[in-house]
Amino acid sequence: MLERSSPIFFRSISIPVPKKAIYSRLGYRKSHTQLSDKDINHIELYVDQAVDLIELKGSAVVLPVDTIDNDILRLKNNIVFESSHLAGMMKGCGFVLLMGATAGRRIMDEIENSSAAENLSRGVVLDAAASEMTDGALDWITGYVNQGLRRKAARLTEKRYSAGYGDFSLENQKIIYDLLKMHELGVSITESYLLVPEKTVTALAGVFASGL
Amino acid sequence: MIKFDDLLNKFKDRVIILDGATGTELQARGMPEGVCPELWCLDNSSCIQGIHDDYIEAGSDIIYTCTFGANRFKLSEYGSSNIEEINAALADIAKKAAGKNCLVAGDIGPTGRFIEPFGEVDFDEAVEAFKEQARGLLKGGTDLIVIETQLDIQEARAALIAVKEISDIFTMVSMTYESSARTLGGTDPVSALITLQSLGADAVGCNCSTGPEGMIPLVRSMQPYATVPLVAKPNAGIPKLRQGKTYFDMEPDQFCAHARDFISSGVRLIGGCCGTTPAHIKELRRSTSGLTAKEPAMKSLSALSSAQKTVFFQKNSPLVIIGERINPTGKKDLQEELLQGKTGLVKRYAREQTLSGAHVLDVNVGMPGINEKEIIRTVVKDLAISSHAPLCIDSALPEAMEAALRVYPGRALINSISGEETKRDKLMKMAKKYGAMFILLPIGGKKLPKSASERIGVIKDIFSVARDYGFTREDVIVDALTFAVSADQDAAMETLRTIHWCADDFGCMSVLGLSNVSFGLPERTWINSAFVAMAISGGLTHAIANPLSTEFMNVKRAADVLMKRDRQAKDYISHFAGAKDGPGSGSKGMNKAQAKSSIPSGQSVYNAIVEGNRDEVISLIEEALHAGLPPHTLVNSHMVPAIREVGDLYDKKIYFLPQLISSAETMKKGFEHLEPHIRKDERLSAKKGKILLATVKGDIHDIGKNIIALMLKNQGFEVIDLGKDVPHRDIIDAARQHQVDIVGLSALMTTTMVNMKEVVDLSRKVGLACKFMIGGAVVTRSYADSIGAHYAKDGVEAVKLAESLMV
């Protein structure tokens, strides 16, 4: 499956375009929102353009769990995550999957260009598409890992958890960023722990198995 | 070792039963978690031998070796490097168990890495790794090879090429599909089938991921296009979770309830994957006994595939367009890019051509001073990721052709193979090895065949050699040759005669490099367009052309209708209906004529803003002014009420964000156009208030803030936008300098949200009297209250809040 000490890189992640999620992110409500043909044409065109500009990449690494206390998840390589929510989610897991995905720089440049060129309606559609595609890339990574785990009668937790959620502070983003070697994907991290390009996400999921 | 026909003959026309799961069986029989299954089996051979014995006893005709992960990438994680020996030893265990009545398939699973262009492992490194494993399996005496549970078509190709480069042993390839009916790499079952069977797989199918019910639609989708037997190995249902462990609970009778459906869908080899046991296989044997396997649906197939799409070539279908633009001839920008090894323009040309109707993309990077072999490999890899259209590889250099075909994760078209003997044989071997179709170029010697009869002679000669290599008419597209009518006015007629012969007598497809016909003449589009219509009527199936030429493409679409190749004119209608309804052409419930003739001009401007009609708002404002509507009436009675109406529609969820912004942008455009009038009119130039906006220090998200700025401006506020990641002190200084009424702060993250409080605190400390309003994904009303600020959840609410704060 995955190496346990260094991440595996996915240089090109291909996923179906999550149009429903993109529309929903933009506030579309099936029972309420009324769209003209022209609206649909514009949005579909912008989504297509976004898909052309998004370059999904990712990395993932599986690390063995050392101990899980009430609010501390300790991994065997001396990595410690303090969060009662995260520790609770990982109960019963022998391993932790760390994963990250980015939509790349091109789409972010184009979102900025759209705003600068006073075409904000295009910008928000590109933005929503990039957000949903990046989330979709994490789904893809979990699917990939689950595929390998299935043969070993193991599987990932249904949910995943990210730095910045609940009591899992955003400072942990730096540890996750380093473990995933995200700089190799062209991602950097700011002093305030934000990932750049903006459409970059990381997450943790547990592996229900004591060995892989 | 067994060959294709021998294997199928051995079983005559009956269904071939494979084995069931190995991994889950090993765990059930005591293999500890965390060990390497292959190494554990070597140390505990009685366990794997027991599994083999039980499957044979249950009725398996073929059992798989326990070598799923016995490749260098996976075994190195456990410190093992003697790949060949491990595979040979495990194959030997299976062979001993199988005896004479059962065959052994050497099992090759995925490496766990992604292969270029989708990953970082070099394609040839992957091929070498698989060769190493395959050598071990052959050494151990396996009768056939199975490449299984592949989630990346490129990895499946690498494994298949590896096996075929060292042996002609019967090889099955089985992919695994997600619930979306695509592999994780995005490949659909039909494209995988086309790519793998043309590459030489002797059987193709799917395993794992899903239970029998979920697998039948996958098999059914492949069946009509299969030239080889199909394989299916579903799981024992969908895995379930109990106390942190996965288990499969589908009983043998439930599992086999679908066996007949599999066989009627063309499956010849069937077994089980995760969660299946000898009991499942025993029941499978029983339930398929007496059933006759179907022959593959086709002998050969005209189709190209990419990693994500198949394009079928069928007689009497619309003309296939092979986009010609990725060619540096006459394109300086592209030449410079290619020389630098860059592919930005190539990707743009690919995108433009496919959007304009190209089905296949021709790729030619040949020019002086270029390392064609290296660059075509780079371009093909990049296009494999960025474009779904299959590729036509166009190179005069056989080594460049091979570099491209080897790394292309689909079935490509070679452009072209002529009668020149040495090159012809080299390219035909290559086409056969990589499963490519090819364009037959009827040039035999130094003299170009001018007449149709000369061309027909050369076509027959080249095709006869191709047939000896195993090609059929479905694998070949004949270039009917196009010469300039400006040099010889008989040229077009000879080409048309060749096309007729291909379609009516020889029964093969034909292609033209169309634009040559008009060389040397002015306004070439008209010649090209007329020629394509004539060629379509003569039976031309493919054209290498520029799909960005609207005239050409429209004539092609019309000719497809007239020649009954576009059934019920579906493509034609859909193309032109799309153009009519395209961006900027329509409006909600109202057409342009109505808008212009029957609606008062102020109302037209109102409608334009409500409908987000940016393209027409200025002309409608001009009409309104021309009709005598004063600017202040236009603004106060029509434009402002319009944008308020939009806000209400958004609040009621009848509008969603893109519509809200589109209307806001229309309003802004209208305002800007009225700027000279507004400046003169005190009733309009008075601002509602001054607002400073900033995304706080450390935060780089600003699209939400930009929306607020746009909406506030539209409502008559003066907005000073400081941008994103703004230090506290800069906000305070600017607020003081501009004497603003309100400061609006935005933050997306919990870590940066705290900076809002610091800005508010600092402002109080320095005695700034302005009000604060805040917003952003993580910001809540209670947080705003706690820091002494006001909260707005979105742009519409921000406008209302700002107006209330100004009272």
Side-chain angles (χ1 to χ4, degrees):
Chain A
M1 220 248 321
L2 301 173
E3 286 180 16
R4 291 168 197 174
S5 53
S6 61
I8 183 168
F9 291 99
F10 309 104
R11 300 288 178 191
S12 170
I13 295 175
S14 172
I15 59 167
V17 180
K19 284 204 179 162
K20 216 171 155 185
I22 295 168
Y23 273 73
S24 170
R25 191 180 193 97
L26 288 165
Y28 178 80
R29 298 290 174 270
K30 201 177 172 188
S31 53
H32 289 80
T33 312
Q34 295 170 8
L35 294 175
S36 67
D37 289 347
K38 183 185 148 198
D39 292 330
I40 294 170
N41 281 339
H42 271 136
I43 294 161
E44 292 289 314
L45 175 70
Y46 296 154
V47 170
D48 282 348
Q49 289 171 347
V51 172
D52 278 344
L53 292 160
I54 291 167
E55 295 169 320
L56 291 177
K57 292 177 182 172
S59 60
V61 64
V62 172
L63 299 169
V65 171
D66 187 5
T67 57
I68 302 173
D69 296 332
N70 282 342
D71 54 1
I72 295 178
L73 168 67
R74 194 182 301 275
L75 305 180
K76 281 198 174 140
N77 53 354
N78 290 325
I79 301 287
V80 176
F81 291 127
E82 283 186 38
S83 158
S84 59
H85 295 165
L86 179 66
M89 192 186 101
M90 294 297 174
K91 241 173 212 159
C93 294
F95 292 81
V96 169
L97 167 71
L98 288 90
M99 61 196 129
T102 181
R105 284 184 189 281
R106 284 174 66 210
I107 183 72
M108 293 319 302
D109 290 347
E110 198 57 28
I111 292 169
E112 278 203 15
N113 290 343
S114 287
S115 302
E118 306 198 336
N119 193 351
L120 205 51
S121 46
R122 178 171 182 260
V124 293
V125 177
L126 298 186
D127 188 90
S131 295
E132 291 301 333
M133 294 280 284
T134 312
D135 270 354
L138 286 191
D139 292 339
W140 183 92
I141 292 173
T142 54
Y144 168 76
V145 174
N146 263 328
Q147 179 66 43
L149 293 176
R150 196 175 294 128
R151 301 183 73 87
K152 301 179 180 188
R155 64 181 289 179
L156 292 171
T157 49
E158 294 279 337
K159 291 181 181 165
R160 50 183 187 241
Y161 212 73
S162 294
Y165 285 9
D167 62 352
F168 188 33
S169 79
L170 193 66
E171 280 83 347
N172 291 295
Q173 191 77 280
K174 177 74 171 91
I175 302 170
I176 298 167
Y177 170 86
D178 289 340
L179 286 168
L180 290 170
K181 297 188 176 170
M182 294 194 80
H183 62 278
E184 292 196 24
L185 300 173
V187 175
S188 57
I189 187 164
T190 67
E191 280 177 7
S192 48
Y193 309 109
L194 299 185
L195 299 171
V196 181
E198 184 186 317
K199 301 300 173 192
T200 302
V201 287
T202 64
L204 281 77
V207 182
F208 283 124
S210 55
L212 291 183
Chain B
M1 182 171 103
I2 199 155
K3 301 233 174 110
F4 180 79
D5 288 340
D6 298 339
L7 184 130
L8 295 184
N9 288 338
K10 177 178 163 66
F11 298 102
K12 303 212 166 104
D13 59 359
R14 85 166 167 80
V15 175
I16 300 168
I17 304 295
L18 306 170
D19 63 5
T22 300
T24 46
E25 271 301 285
L26 284 169
Q27 282 156 357
R29 296 180 191 212
M31 183 180 77
E33 289 178 335
V35 301
C36 168
E38 290 79 13
L39 298 178
W40 188 83
C41 281
L42 283 177
D43 294 336
N44 301 271
S45 57
S46 60
C47 182
I48 184 65
Q49 188 148 358
I51 293 173
H52 290 325
D53 288 342
D54 289 351
Y55 279 127
I56 295 164
E57 174 73 27
S60 290
D61 296 308
I62 298 173
I63 55 169
Y64 287 14
T65 57
C66 180
T67 51
F68 180 80
N71 57 68
R72 68 169 74 154
F73 296 101
K74 287 196 167 175
L75 289 180
S76 67
E77 290 173 24
Y78 299 94
S80 276
S81 57
N82 46 343
I83 312 299
E84 279 193 40
E85 287 74 12
I86 291 169
N87 279 280
L90 288 165
D92 188 53
I93 293 172
K95 274 303 284 182
K96 281 184 180 140
K100 287 183 179 168
N101 295 323
C102 180
L103 298 175
V104 172
D107 190 352
I108 295 178
T111 59
R113 304 292 185 92
F114 277 87
I115 317 298
E116 64 173 348
F118 307 118
E120 55 198 330
V121 177
D122 178 83
F123 186 78
D124 286 317
E125 186 191 347
V127 171
E128 278 314 306
F130 286 123
K131 272 187 190 171
E132 190 176 37
Q133 186 177 7
R135 276 193 208 100
L137 292 169
L138 293 173
K139 204 188 282 179
T142 54
D143 301 295
L144 62 149
I145 296 283
V146 57
I147 297 160
E148 64 147 319
T149 325
Q150 295 293 323
L151 42 87
D152 169 16
I153 188 70
Q154 188 69 324
E155 184 165 8
R157 284 184 74 251
L160 182 56
I161 288 171
V163 173
K164 293 289 171 186
E165 283 187 345
I166 58 173
S167 169
D168 60 354
I169 191 169
F170 186 99
T171 305
M172 307 193 281
V173 188
S174 172
M175 307 292 295
T176 192
Y177 295 94
E178 297 296 296
S179 54
S180 60
R182 287 184 179 263
T183 65
L184 267 171
T187 306
D188 61 282
V190 174
S191 298
L193 172 77
I194 304 296
T195 301
L196 295 168
Q197 71 186 11
S198 61
L199 197 60
D202 298 302
V204 175
C206 38
N207 73 290
C208 208
S209 282
T210 180
E213 210 168 350
M215 195 168 278
I216 285 170
L218 303 174
V219 172
R220 283 200 180 133
S221 69
M222 288 189 270
Q223 197 260 340
Y225 311 107
T227 60
V228 296
L230 296 177
V231 191
K233 257 192 157 207
N235 289 341
I238 304 296
K240 293 179 178 160
L241 197 66
R242 187 193 293 147
Q243 292 170 339
K245 299 264 179 183
T246 316
Y247 69 101
F248 295 85
D249 65 354
M250 187 176 255
E251 295 296 328
D253 56 334
Q254 291 172 284
F255 179 76
C256 297
H258 302 282
R260 278 177 184 273
D261 291 336
F262 275 111
I263 308 311
S264 67
S265 304
V267 169
R268 177 84 196 268
L269 302 104
I270 187 166
C273 202
C274 299
T276 57
T277 65
H280 291 81
I281 298 305
K282 188 173 182 185
E283 181 60 20
L284 192 59
R285 178 90 207 200
R286 194 199 60 75
S287 58
T288 57
S289 123
L291 294 181
T292 304
K294 276 188 175 177
E295 283 292 311
M298 310 208 63
K299 293 280 179 213
S300 62
L301 184 67
S302 282
L304 298 180
S305 56
S306 67
Q308 295 177 310
K309 186 180 175 181
T310 295
V311 175
F312 293 101
F313 302 146
Q314 286 159 327
K315 278 182 188 165
N316 301 320
S317 290
L319 183 78
V320 174
I321 297 296
I322 303 173
E324 67 179 9
R325 302 256 308 139
I326 304 174
N327 185 329
T329 308
K331 298 186 189 83
K332 266 200 168 177
D333 290 354
L334 183 59
Q335 288 171 9
E336 278 169 24
E337 269 220 5
L338 290 174
L339 284 170
Q340 292 168 31
K342 293 181 183 169
T343 58
L345 267 180
V346 166
K347 286 190 252 185
R348 200 182 91 199
Y349 287 162
R351 194 164 51 240
E352 287 170 353
Q353 291 186 100
T354 47
L355 284 174
S356 302
H359 305 93
V360 176
L361 297 173
D362 189 78
V363 180
N364 183 322
V365 301
M367 64 175 169
I370 199 166
N371 181 342
E372 192 174 335
K373 184 179 165 185
E374 190 186 308
I375 296 300
I376 201 162
R377 195 173 184 276
T378 304
V379 166
V380 164
K381 281 196 296 175
D382 282 1
L383 286 176
I385 293 171
S386 61
S387 175
H388 293 184
L391 300 184
C392 171
I393 315 289
D394 184 357
S395 173
L397 293 179
E399 56 271 29
M401 183 64 75
E402 174 146 32
L405 291 175
R406 192 167 176 82
V407 81
Y408 182 58
R411 187 187 195 198
L413 175 65
I414 290 177
N415 185 8
S416 56
I417 302 181
S418 71
E420 189 199 324
E421 263 182 48
T422 321
K423 219 161 147 184
R424 179 196 67 196
D425 292 349
K426 218 182 243 184
L427 288 170
M428 281 195 187
K429 276 182 198 160
M430 218 180 271
K432 199 71 202 160
K433 177 174 177 181
Y434 295 105
M437 291 180 65
F438 69 88
I439 293 177
L440 187 160
L441 188 72
I443 298 176
K446 283 178 185 169
K447 193 174 154 241
L448 290 173
K450 274 198 163 183
S451 69
S453 59
E454 284 174 274
R455 288 173 208 179
I456 288 165
V458 183
I459 292 166
K460 283 180 177 170
D461 288 347
I462 300 175
F463 184 72
S464 143
V465 178
R467 205 169 35 204
D468 292 344
Y469 277 96
F471 291 103
T472 66
R473 280 174 171 74
E474 283 74 27
D475 298 317
V476 174
I477 306 172
V478 168
D479 188 335
L481 295 182
T482 323
F483 297 115
V485 285
S486 59
D488 173 7
Q489 225 167 334
D490 289 331
M493 296 310 294
E494 292 303 323
T495 301
L496 292 173
R497 280 188 198 108
T498 312
I499 292 168
H500 269 292
W501 177 82
C502 285
D504 301 338
D505 300 323
F506 196 60
C508 72
M509 296 173 288
S510 55
V511 63
L512 288 182
L514 260 164
S515 51
N516 288 348
V517 75
S518 59
F519 187 78
L521 291 171
E523 299 295 330
R524 293 175 63 183
T525 296
W526 304 118
I527 301 282
N528 295 345
S529 303
F531 192 45
V532 78
M534 295 164 81
I536 288 173
S537 84
L540 183 74
T541 56
H542 295 65
I544 301 176
N546 178 7
L548 271 61
S549 165
T550 310
E551 296 85 353
F552 170 81
M553 288 299 283
N554 288 347
V555 170
K556 165 234 171 334
R557 288 184 182 103
D560 281 337
V561 173
L562 298 173
M563 291 309 296
K564 214 178 154 188
R565 287 164 69 163
D566 178 5
R567 296 298 161 95
Q568 294 165 327
K570 272 187 187 164
D571 289 354
Y572 185 88
I573 291 168
S574 122
H575 176 74
F576 286 103
K580 194 176 145 201
D581 295 342
S585 63
S587 56
K588 286 182 200 75
M590 181 194 313
N591 62 36
K592 278 184 194 174
Q594 279 176 317
K596 285 190 176 171
S597 65
S598 61
I599 297 174
S601 45
Q603 183 66 28
S604 298
V605 175
Y606 177 96
N607 288 343
I609 291 169
V610 172
E611 291 156 11
N613 190 350
R614 273 171 297 185
D615 298 338
E616 295 190 2
V617 71
I618 289 175
S619 61
L620 293 171
I621 285 174
E622 277 303 307
E623 275 177 31
L625 294 174
H626 194 69
L629 209 62
H632 71 270
T633 308
L634 190 57
V635 171
N636 292 330
S637 304
H638 300 284
M639 293 173 72
V640 171
I643 203 69
R644 286 193 186 282
E645 166 71 8
V646 169
D648 285 347
L649 290 169
Y650 181 74
D651 271 346
K652 289 174 189 160
K653 315 269 185 226
I654 294 170
Y655 267 21
F656 75 148
L657 193 58
Q659 292 164 302
L660 173 77
I661 295 170
S662 188
S663 291
E665 287 177 325
T666 306
M667 175 83 167
K668 182 167 178 269
K669 199 170 172 185
F671 260 150
E672 283 169 357
H673 187 71
L674 285 170
E675 184 71 33
H677 301 281
I678 290 170
R679 257 185 279 136
K680 282 186 231 159
D681 190 335
E682 276 181 15
R683 283 167 295 185
L684 293 174
S685 61
K687 291 290 175 193
K688 282 186 178 170
K690 214 183 258 189
I691 301 185
L692 182 143
L693 294 179
T695 300
V696 293
K697 172 83 186 145
D699 208 318
I700 52 172
H701 307 89
D702 74 343
I703 198 151
K705 182 210 64 186
N706 293 342
I707 295 169
I708 305 275
L710 173 67
M711 299 197 57
L712 288 169
K713 280 180 196 169
N714 279 342
Q715 292 293 340
F717 286 93
E718 182 181 348
V719 175
I720 298 133
D721 186 351
L722 296 186
K724 56 190 174 183
D725 193 14
V726 186
H728 306 354
R729 177 53 70 180
D730 292 3
I731 296 171
I732 303 296
D733 289 348
R736 183 176 282 149
Q737 184 199 334
H738 295 283
Q739 296 183 317
V740 300
D741 302 296
I742 301 168
V743 172
L745 301 176
S746 164
L748 191 85
M749 310 295 295
T750 46
T751 44
T752 55
M753 185 173 81
V754 293
N755 290 334
M756 293 174 154
K757 182 178 186 312
E758 290 176 13
V759 174
V760 174
D761 288 348
L762 185 60
S763 75
R764 302 300 176 230
K765 208 169 156 187
V766 299
L768 210 59
C770 64
K771 292 165 180 163
F772 280 85
M773 59 184 212
I774 64 173
V778 293
V779 180
T780 60
R781 198 173 297 280
S782 60
Y783 177 74
D785 291 344
S786 74
I787 66 168
H790 302 271
Y791 171 76
K793 72 173 185 336
D794 56 30
V796 173
E797 203 171 289
V799 168
K800 288 179 185 163
L801 175 62
E803 285 175 336
S804 72
L805 292 176
M806 292 307 298
V807 174

